[in-house]
Amino acid sequence: GAGVSQSPSNKVTEKGKDVELRCDPISGHTALYWYRQSLGQGLEFLIYFQGNSAPDKSGLPSDRFSAERTGGSVSTLTIQRTQQEDSAVYLCASSADSNYGYTFGSGTRLTVV
Amino acid sequence: DQQVKQNSPSLSVQEGRISILNCDYTNSMFDYFLWYKKYPAEGPTFLISISSIKDKNEDGRFTVFLNKSAKHLSLHIVPSQPGDSAVYFCAAGGGGTYKYIFGTGTRLKVLA
């Protein structure tokens, strides 16, 4: 597609439930990133995928968070046993060259009630 | 430990005047800097970048200045327009790292 596509755009879930967030990057972009923005905070790095290399998971806040990228394209971020502090906008970005910035999707606004 | 800081959470400027948004960083290994603009309910969009080999980069109404010795960069918007009202994030990266560290953003409001 022309841009980075994320779904759903909004998700309300009950505390303790699992959620899956999807990211469809720009075709041909080998680098894919997940960030999140909590209320009043900056963009917090979560995880990075580059081609077939092992992902950099150093930003994942707990073991309830995991992500995968299938076939070097679509990525899914999974949050298990959601907590209220997981409420945030989750942003996906992709890049053709990780040295020169990325294109972001519109994000998924997650609200845990 | 915030490596990239935007100390002004908000800024209001009259239409036609200059907007100056500031950003400070702590890691001297950063060598590439970006500014993004974000409207509500949209993802951030790339605005302008600067490499550490330069001290200024200009693109239309937008100019980014980099002061490496002070570890400080600023974004100037001249003249400011109401459509520039958004949250502006600076980000720093490079130095062998592939991930950018973002500041907390500055909300700019341009008053008509």
Side-chain angles (χ1 to χ4, degrees):
Chain A
V4 177
S5 177
Q6 291 187 248
S7 60
S9 55
N10 277 286
K11 176 73 176 178
V12 180
T13 190
E14 289 182 355
K15 179 180 171 182
K17 300 279 190 184
D18 298 352
V19 294
E20 277 191 1
L21 312 180
R22 177 188 165 106
C23 173
D24 208 334
I26 292 173
S27 178
H29 279 191
T30 56
L32 187 147
Y33 306 78
W34 284 96
Y35 281 78
R36 75 174 174 182
Q37 185 183 15
S38 304
L39 192 64
Q41 302 297 313
L43 299 173
E44 176 190 4
F45 168 79
L46 296 177
I47 189 169
Y48 161 74
F49 296 91
Q50 172 62 279
N52 295 321
S53 304
D56 176 352
K57 304 179 183 179
S58 61
L60 294 179
S62 78
D63 58 9
R64 296 186 295 105
F65 288 72
S66 63
E68 62 177 24
R69 188 178 184 192
T70 52
S73 181
V74 172
S75 177
T76 303
L77 177 69
T78 301
I79 310 173
Q80 296 179 306
R81 305 181 303 281
T82 52
Q83 303 294 312
Q84 287 186 326
E85 62 262 28
D86 300 335
S87 297
V89 176
Y90 289 81
L91 290 158
C92 175
S94 70
S95 173
D97 182 333
S98 55
N99 285 327
Y100 295 102
Y102 350 116
T103 301
F104 281 91
S106 299
T108 294
R109 180 175 295 278
L110 175 67
T111 304
V112 181
V113 297
Chain B
D1 175 31
Q2 251 186 307
Q3 296 189 65
V4 179
K5 298 178 186 177
Q6 292 178 258
N7 292 319
S8 296
S10 64
L11 175 68
S12 290
V13 171
Q14 207 66 36
E15 180 180 8
R17 305 297 289 268
I18 184 171
S19 295
I20 300 176
L21 298 106
N22 294 304
C23 179
D24 297 289
Y25 60 97
T26 58
N27 189 342
S28 58
M29 294 297 290
F30 290 142
D31 61 8
Y32 207 79
F33 305 89
L34 313 169
W35 282 94
Y36 279 82
K37 178 168 76 171
K38 185 181 185 301
Y39 293 118
E42 295 183 13
T45 54
F46 171 76
L47 197 55
I48 193 168
S49 64
I50 189 165
S51 159
S52 60
I53 62 173
K54 292 185 169 184
D55 54 18
K56 177 183 173 181
N57 188 25
E58 194 172 349
D59 184 1
R61 296 185 298 113
F62 302 90
T63 303
V64 55
F65 295 92
L66 175 62
N67 183 333
K68 290 186 288 294
S69 60
K71 297 192 185 70
H72 176 83
L73 64 155
S74 61
L75 174 68
H76 292 210
I77 307 173
V78 183
S80 302
Q81 299 173 353
D84 296 329
S85 298
V87 177
Y88 290 78
F89 291 96
C90 68
T97 179
Y98 41 74
K99 59 192 180 203
Y100 283 84
I101 308 297
F102 284 79
T104 51
T106 296
R107 182 178 301 278
L108 174 66
K109 187 169 184 180
V110 180
L111 307 168

